Amino acid sequence: MTADRTTRTGIASVLDAVDQRVADGPFRATWESLADYRVPDWYRNAKFGIFIHWGPYSVPAFGNEWYARNMYLADQPEYAHHRETYGPQNEFGYKDFIPLLTGENFDADEWASLFRQAGAQYVVPVAEHHDGFAMYETALNPWNATAMGPKRDVIGELAQAVRAQSMVFGLSSHRAEHWWFMNGGMRFDSDVRAGRHAALYGPAQAEELPPTRDFLDDWLARTAELVERYQPELLYFDWWIQQQAFKPYLPRLAAYYYNTLAGAGRGPVLAYKHDAFVPGTAVYDVERGVSATLRPDPWQSDTSVSRNSWCHIGNHDYKSGPELLATLVDTVSKNGCLLLNIGPRADGSIPEHEAGLLREIGAWLGVNGEAIYASRPWTVYGEGPTQIKDGQFTDSTQATYQPEDLRFTTRKEHLYVTALGGVRGGRIDVRSLGRDLTLFPQEIGSVRMLGHPEPLEFERGSHSLTVRLPESAAQTPMPVLRVDPAR
C-alpha cells in the first residue's frame, strides 16, 4: 500500500470516528443543537493566556511568520533576502529550514514555569501554521517535529508541562490556509513547483479556487487527530475557515469537539474569527484588536508582544509592559480574555526581552490579580476621554491612555477601578460613582488600593467619587482601587 493510500485510509478512519462521536451526542452537527453550548467557567475566570508561534519560520528570523509564503513572492522583501542569504529557491527551499529548527534549548517545563510566573491561566501553542509543518506527533503528516527538526513531540511535551503547572492547555491550527499558502512557488523555478515535496508544500492553489473535498476532509481529520491526542480545552482557528467551502464542516467539527471534551470531563472552548460560526455556538476572537463596547458574551482578543511579528525575528517593535497590561484590563472589563503571543528562537529559547515582559505582567497580577481573575463586567466597562478603535488590527494605532481613563470589574461585592494611564495629582476621580448617576446605589464603606495596607480617604459627591492616593501610587503602573459597600 502506498504512503498516499495509507494516508487516505487513515483519514477515512478518523472521519468515521468523528461521525460516530457526533451521533453519540449530546451535541448534533446543527446550529440549532450547538446553540445550547455554554462557555465553561474555567475560561470565564481565566482572563489571561499565552499564545506561542514556533516553527521552521523561526529559523530565518526575518520579516514575520509568513516567511514560508513571502520567500516565494518576488515583490516581498523575504524573496530577495532569501536569495542573498541562502541562495535560489530551487536550491534552498523552505523545507531546508526544518533541520535548522534544532530546539536544543527547548525545555517545556521551563516554558511552563515562565508562563505561570506571568500569571497565565491557559497556554495555546500553534500546532500547525500555514506552512504545513506539524509541531506534533501525527499519523497524517510525514512532515512533523517528531520525525525531523527537533525530533520531539513539542505539543505533547507542552501539554504535559502546562497541565503540571495547573494551567489549561489549548491548541491552534492554521491548516486551512495551507490550500494556497505556498502558491507563489508555482510561478517560477522553485522546490515548490518541482512537486517532490507536495506533502509539505500542499496544493499551492490560487486563493480564488475553493478547497476540494479531499482537502477539507484532510483538514477535519487532522483537527480531530489533534483533539484525540491532546484533549485541548481551547481550540483556536485562524481566519480562513469562514470561507463558504468550510461552512458544512464547521457544525460537524464543533459537535465532535464539544462531545469529545465533555466526555473526557473537560470544558471546551472553540475560538473563531469573522462569521465562521453562528454567534453563541463558540467564542468570538478579535485578532490584534479590542472591542469598543462591553460585549454580552465572553470573547477573546489575541495579540502579540510585538507589533510587527508573531514569531521570532531580529528587529521586533515591542510593546511596553504598561501597554500590554492596559490591553489586558481593557479586554477583561468588556467581558473578554487576552491571549498574548510570544515567539521562541529556533533553538527553543525564549528571548530575554519577551520573558521580561511576561514577568512584568506577572508582577502586576501578583498584586492586582483579584481585579482580573474570576471577575465579571460591571454595569459600564469604564470611563475616560480616550476613544478606542473597534475591531481587528488596530493594536498599533490605538491612542495612549490618560489618567482619566478608568476600567471597572467586579467580583462578589467588590468593585475594582483600574487607572489605565496611571495617576495625576495624587488622586483618582471616578465620575461613574457619583451619587447622581446611581450606578452604585449603595453607600460606600471603604476604598483601598491593592498592594497598600491602609484604607484610603475618599469623598463621594453628586458627580464623582474622589479618592486620595498614597505616595506609592505615583510609582505604580495602573493602580487598582477596590470599592466596597458599607456593611
Side-chain angles (χ1 to χ4, degrees):
M1 184 179 290
T2 66
D4 184 59
R5 186 177 176 187
T6 300
T7 300
R8 289 199 302 270
T9 301
I11 290 171
S13 176
V14 172
L15 295 182
D16 286 345
V18 166
D19 292 335
Q20 184 60 55
R21 193 70 52 79
V22 173
D24 290 342
F27 286 101
R28 306 295 183 184
T30 67
W31 295 122
E32 291 77 13
S33 176
L34 294 168
D36 291 334
Y37 170 74
R38 296 294 180 267
V39 178
D41 284 343
W42 79 256
Y43 185 73
R44 298 196 69 197
N45 293 337
K47 307 303 182 185
F48 179 45
I50 300 295
F51 203 9
I52 310 166
H53 278 68
W54 189 44
Y57 44 81
S58 305
V59 175
F62 183 89
N64 56 41
E65 69 288 345
W66 277 42
Y67 190 98
R69 174 171 175 77
N70 294 338
M71 65 175 277
Y72 294 105
L73 297 176
D75 61 345
Q76 295 297 313
E78 290 87 345
Y79 179 91
H81 170 82
H82 187 86
R83 296 176 75 88
E84 293 168 2
T85 308
Y86 303 102
Q89 288 85 339
N90 63 348
E91 296 179 8
F92 192 107
Y94 185 69
K95 68 182 183 307
D96 297 302
F97 286 120
I98 294 171
L100 304 178
L101 185 71
T102 58
E104 70 266 25
N105 292 319
F106 167 59
D107 187 319
D109 292 325
E110 287 186 2
W111 284 21
S113 293
L114 174 62
F115 304 152
R116 197 76 185 100
Q117 291 174 42
Q121 300 300 306
Y122 62 107
V123 177
V124 184
V126 175
E128 182 179 333
H129 201 249
H130 317 324
D131 62 353
F133 186 74
M135 297 296 290
Y136 59 96
E137 183 177 356
T138 168
L140 301 179
N141 184 0
W143 296 85
N144 66 78
T146 304
M148 56 189 71
K151 295 186 178 178
R152 298 164 67 176
D153 181 2
V154 170
I155 296 302
E157 290 185 37
L158 276 172
Q160 183 175 355
V162 164
R163 287 168 172 150
Q165 293 274 356
S166 300
M167 294 175 287
V168 174
F169 185 72
L171 286 176
S172 173
S173 171
H174 304 224
R175 176 72 187 179
E177 291 85 346
H178 194 55
W179 171 252
W180 50 264
F181 196 63
M182 312 297 285
N183 61 17
M186 299 295 289
R187 301 167 191 167
F188 68 104
D189 185 15
S190 80
D191 63 334
V192 176
R193 191 173 186 178
R196 293 188 301 273
H197 309 292
L200 173 65
Y201 292 139
Q205 289 285 356
E207 295 101 311
E208 295 80 10
L209 291 174
T212 62
R213 178 176 176 176
D214 283 347
F215 180 86
L216 294 164
D217 285 349
D218 177 81
W219 169 81
L220 180 56
R222 289 179 188 234
T223 305
E225 184 190 42
L226 281 169
V227 171
E228 293 293 335
R229 284 185 184 271
Y230 305 109
Q231 301 282 301
E233 286 161 272
L234 186 145
L235 188 57
Y236 166 103
F237 291 100
D238 206 4
W239 55 282
W240 215 58
I241 63 165
Q242 85 274 6
Q243 300 298 315
Q244 187 60 40
F246 284 86
K247 290 299 178 76
Y249 284 75
L250 298 182
R252 185 179 173 194
L253 166 70
Y256 158 76
Y257 175 56
Y258 293 160
N259 291 346
T260 300
L261 269 290
R266 301 183 186 274
V269 174
L270 202 163
Y272 72 97
K273 298 173 184 174
H274 303 291
D275 65 346
F277 286 80
V278 172
T281 63
V283 172
Y284 184 68
D285 180 274
V286 179
E287 180 178 356
R288 283 195 178 277
V290 294
S291 175
T293 60
L294 170 57
R295 293 177 178 266
D297 296 322
W299 61 284
Q300 179 172 268
S301 170
D302 72 287
T303 192
S304 181
V305 295
S306 168
R307 291 182 177 83
N308 54 336
S309 180
W310 294 85
C311 76
H312 174 61
I313 58 172
N315 60 332
H316 275 300
D317 179 11
Y318 283 119
K319 302 172 184 176
S320 69
E323 181 180 357
L324 295 170
L325 282 167
T327 301
L328 171 63
V329 176
D330 178 69
T331 300
V332 171
S333 74
K334 296 168 181 173
N335 207 22
C337 293
L338 176 65
L339 183 61
L340 180 64
N341 179 78
I342 56 131
R345 300 183 183 95
D347 68 2
S349 61
I350 295 174
E352 292 76 10
H353 188 80
E354 298 182 24
L357 288 172
L358 294 186
R359 292 189 181 99
E360 186 175 347
I361 294 170
W364 186 88
L365 285 169
V367 175
N368 301 291
E370 68 174 88
I372 301 297
Y373 302 126
S375 68
R376 296 292 183 267
W378 192 43
T379 307
V380 295
Y381 70 82
E383 64 181 56
T386 302
Q387 298 297 308
I388 300 300
K389 296 179 182 179
D390 188 78
Q392 298 191 93
F393 301 105
T394 59
D395 64 340
S396 294
T397 58
Q398 297 287 3
T400 302
Y401 289 114
Q402 304 301 310
E404 294 79 16
D405 290 309
L406 309 176
R407 293 294 181 267
F408 307 124
T409 55
T410 64
R411 189 173 58 83
K412 298 181 179 179
E413 74 275 15
H414 311 302
L415 173 65
Y416 298 94
V417 182
T418 303
L420 297 186
V423 297
R424 179 188 299 130
R427 72 182 199 186
I428 292 178
D429 295 307
V430 189
R431 292 181 292 109
S432 299
L433 292 179
R435 291 184 183 277
D436 287 356
L437 279 181
T438 68
L439 293 175
F440 193 90
Q442 310 98 310
E443 290 295 321
I444 293 176
S446 67
V447 179
R448 294 178 177 270
M449 188 180 91
L450 299 185
H452 182 72
E454 303 298 329
L456 306 181
E457 295 182 5
F458 67 90
E459 180 179 352
R460 190 181 195 188
S462 298
H463 303 294
S464 70
L465 170 72
T466 298
V467 182
R468 302 290 178 184
L469 301 175
E471 292 184 4
S472 61
Q475 285 76 46
T476 303
M478 293 173 43
V480 179
L481 304 179
R482 188 181 74 196
V483 179
D484 291 332
R487 298 184 185 279

